Amino acid sequence: MDHPVPPPSPDRALRRRATHQESARAGRSWWDAEAERYYEEHGAALGDAELTWGPEGWTERELGLLGGLRGRDVLEVGAGAAQGGRWCAAQGARVVSTDLSAGMLRVARAIDGRSAGAAPLGYAQCDGASLPFADACVDLVVTAHGVLAFVPDADAVLREWARVVRPGGRVVFSLPHPFRWVCPDLPGPEGLVARYPYDTHEAYVEETEDGRATYTEHHRTVGDLVRAVHGAGLVLVDLVEPGWPPGLAREWGGWGPVRGRILPGTAIVVAHRPRADVPARPSTGTDPR
């Protein structure tokens, strides 16, 4: 595959507030340009048909956070190359995978074209905070490090995901652990120094000299996540903070064994939309600490 033209190199990186509109525009452009390079760099670690919850490498096969999938309708948001959607499809789910980036979805279709395994029934390019789907149309919304880290309003996103889930269904998502925000995003000892305020709504922004954002990541505290889940009408079932696997030596951005042995790198939130007649049940997943 030919590489598209890369996004312009940022003139500066800083922490400031960023709107949803500029974040979505920057994210679409960045991922469109980087989709193939990202897959070449990380595809082997992710697997083409594995739901991997984060750079630590823990998979749904190991953690079991989604519940039964056979016969379920699944919506994967922020799907990237739809590795998680393929895994869900292989378990017997009916899957639609979505992403903001057309470039990532092209990579997903290319994988499907050379694989004989199960695949999503379809793809849709859309903003994960504004889904073109009917109310209560799926049993599960799932994403691994998709959407939430790249938009400012977690409350609006969780309300949208809760809207499309049927009563009794689940919303399960992972994102960079909020505590990582206080340290530089570096995998070695230099990334173990507390440097930034934890309680802030500023984003990490790469931008051009004239202030046009080319990449953004957004922060929320653990409390922000809990309140967003509750505000969406969902019930928090579990908050999993997987540790760094013993013996794993790789580095992935700011993730790696040096920081991973000390700081949590990923948070996985398991929530469900309650039925009026059924109380909340705890997750049966395994917390690998």
Side-chain angles (χ1 to χ4, degrees), residues 32-286:
D32 279 351
E34 293 294 327
E36 292 166 14
R37 272 181 286 268
Y38 185 86
Y39 177 73
E40 288 175 4
E41 183 176 358
H42 299 298
L46 290 171
D48 283 346
E50 193 73 71
L51 176 43
T52 303
W53 286 114
E56 298 86 355
W58 295 104
T59 66
E60 175 59 15
R61 193 185 309 276
E62 295 167 307
L63 300 188
L65 302 175
L66 300 184
L69 289 171
R70 183 161 300 280
R72 300 289 186 177
D73 295 314
V74 175
L75 178 63
E76 184 186 24
V77 295
Q83 289 95 336
R86 262 179 231 98
W87 190 85
C88 291
Q91 313 313 307
R94 296 178 292 269
V95 184
V96 172
S97 293
T98 74
D99 200 276
L100 179 66
S101 165
M104 292 303 298
L105 295 179
R106 280 195 298 271
V107 173
R109 292 188 180 96
I111 295 171
D112 291 345
R114 62 175 181 264
S115 171
L121 295 176
Y123 295 99
Q125 183 187 3
C126 63
D127 187 335
S130 182
L131 300 171
F133 301 104
D135 296 353
C137 64
V138 297
D139 302 299
L140 170 69
V141 172
V142 61
T143 188
H145 279 250
V147 184
L148 271 175
F150 306 105
V151 296
D153 193 346
D155 300 81
V157 172
L158 266 293
R159 287 195 300 269
E160 181 69 351
W161 295 356
R163 177 186 67 79
V164 301
V165 173
R166 296 171 181 136
R170 286 194 172 196
V171 174
V172 186
F173 59 91
S174 65
L175 73 168
H177 195 286
F179 191 75
R180 298 180 76 254
W181 195 254
V182 306
C183 300
D185 195 29
L186 299 167
E190 64 275 22
L192 291 171
V193 179
R195 184 171 295 170
Y196 306 105
Y198 176 68
D199 187 12
T200 179
H201 289 98
E202 291 183 333
Y204 168 80
V205 180
E206 296 177 0
E207 64 180 23
T208 58
E209 191 172 38
D210 61 359
R212 181 172 61 87
T214 57
Y215 181 88
T216 70
E217 283 195 25
H218 295 263
H219 170 63
R220 59 271 310 168
T221 67
V222 172
D224 290 335
L225 288 174
V226 172
R227 285 185 290 274
V229 168
H230 177 75
L234 300 168
V235 175
L236 181 64
V237 177
D238 203 355
L239 174 59
V240 181
E241 301 166 289
W244 192 263
L248 182 64
R250 72 164 176 246
E251 293 180 350
W252 182 329
W255 282 265
V258 173
R259 293 181 81 193
R261 285 192 292 265
I262 297 173
L263 298 179
T266 293
I268 311 171
V269 175
V270 183
H272 81 90
R273 181 176 174 182
R275 294 192 295 259
D277 58 336
V278 179
R281 294 184 297 173
S283 169
T284 58
T286 301

Side-chain angles (χ1 to χ4, degrees), residues 5-44:
V5 177
S9 298
D11 293 305
R12 55 180 174 254
L14 68 161
R15 296 194 176 202
R16 65 167 173 83
R17 288 181 178 263
T19 67
H20 183 91
Q21 182 179 15
E22 69 175 325
S23 298
R25 182 175 60 245
R28 183 184 296 110
S29 176
W30 195 92
W31 287 105
D32 279 351
E34 293 294 327
E36 292 166 14
R37 272 181 286 268
Y38 185 86
Y39 177 73
E40 288 175 4
E41 183 176 358
H42 299 298

